Amino acid sequence: MRKFVLLSCLLVMAIAANAQNLQFHYDLGRSLYSNEEATRQKVTLTFEQFKADATGSWFWFIDLDMYHDGMKGAYTEISREFTFAETSPSTSLAAHVEYDGGMQTFKYGGGTRFQNAALAGVALNGHNADFSSTWSIQALYKQYFKYGSANAYATAQLTGVWGVNFAGGKGTFSGFLDIWRGEDGAGDGQICLLSEPQIWYNVNKHLSLGSEIEVSSNFIFPDCPTDKSFYINPTLAVKYNF
């Protein structure tokens, strides 16, 4: 539940420089993978904010994963872009810096932190004539920091983000795709993938109803021993745009 406001806001940057939304997602993953994801959260609350200024933009979000009896964990990303070149009337280049991190608790006690990471690179951002379609491609250096038994290591990440308004603004299709080289528990390299497309019906300028589908490979740590690494986890969602 992340990165969507970055492109959604580009849809309206011509008339607004600040936007934020709150999302409620009811997660269906536990029902689809009752063994591998037995302790997956039931609900995720996401708050996102985008703010443009004279030199670029800020974007941040926080995901709060919830059990029925309290919070499971929290994850956040905060990024800054500095626009340094307009490559055409509809595209521009920006320097991109980012921090990713968070924590989680276990259902039956204890907890841990996610391995923090810092990213830096370049973003190519674009839009069509009326800003109803927007996109971004980011090539990033990614530095993981040492945590517990996990070693610090350097890697790279390729990110794509998109946003499309259709049906006279009543529908929105948005999402992102991250591909990076990660390491498994033994320190062996593996290709990781995470994508979260969202589809929304915009009831009015504030309220939207829709769904998100989390598609991942080598990203989820299953609750039981398994060779499975690819998961598709849909949600039912409500979004309020402030």
Side-chain angles (χ1 to χ4, degrees), residues 153-229:
Y153 66 95
T155 184
Q157 179 171 302
L158 183 65
T159 292
V161 192
W162 69 88
V164 179
N165 278 350
F166 58 93
K170 298 303 290 185
T172 299
F173 176 56
S174 58
F176 74 90
L177 170 65
D178 288 340
I179 300 175
W180 72 100
R181 178 196 174 277
E183 291 186 357
D184 62 16
D188 297 324
Q190 59 183 7
I191 298 300
C192 302
L193 178 149
L194 178 65
S195 183
E196 294 181 357
Q198 290 186 339
I199 186 75
W200 297 102
Y201 170 69
N202 302 312
V203 179
N204 52 47
K205 68 178 182 178
H206 293 298
L207 179 64
S208 300
L209 306 175
S211 176
E212 172 186 282
I213 300 177
E214 180 190 270
V215 181
S216 67
S217 179
N218 292 324
F219 180 72
I220 293 173
F221 293 96
D223 295 322
C224 61
T226 176
D227 293 331
K228 183 174 178 59
S229 63

Side-chain angles (χ1 to χ4, degrees), residues 135-149:
W135 54 268
S136 177
I137 299 174
Q138 302 162 14
L140 305 171
Y141 166 86
K142 189 172 189 177
Q143 177 65 51
Y144 281 100
F145 301 104
K146 181 175 175 58
Y147 166 64
S149 61

Side-chain angles (χ1 to χ4, degrees), residues 82-95 122-127 135-137:
F82 299 93
T83 302
F84 62 83
E86 184 175 311
T87 53
S88 78
S90 61
T91 59
S92 61
L93 286 170
V122 64
L124 176 63
N125 301 319
H127 59 85
W135 54 268
S136 177
I137 299 174

Side-chain angles (χ1 to χ4, degrees), residues 27-41 107-108 220-226 228 230-234:
D27 199 291
L28 303 175
R30 289 160 53 102
S31 300
L32 295 177
Y33 308 101
S34 57
N35 291 323
E36 294 91 342
E37 296 190 302
T39 62
R40 186 174 175 86
Q41 71 275 3
K107 189 170 184 178
Y108 302 108
I220 293 173
F221 293 96
D223 295 322
C224 61
T226 176
K228 183 174 178 59
F230 182 79
Y231 294 86
I232 298 176
N233 291 298

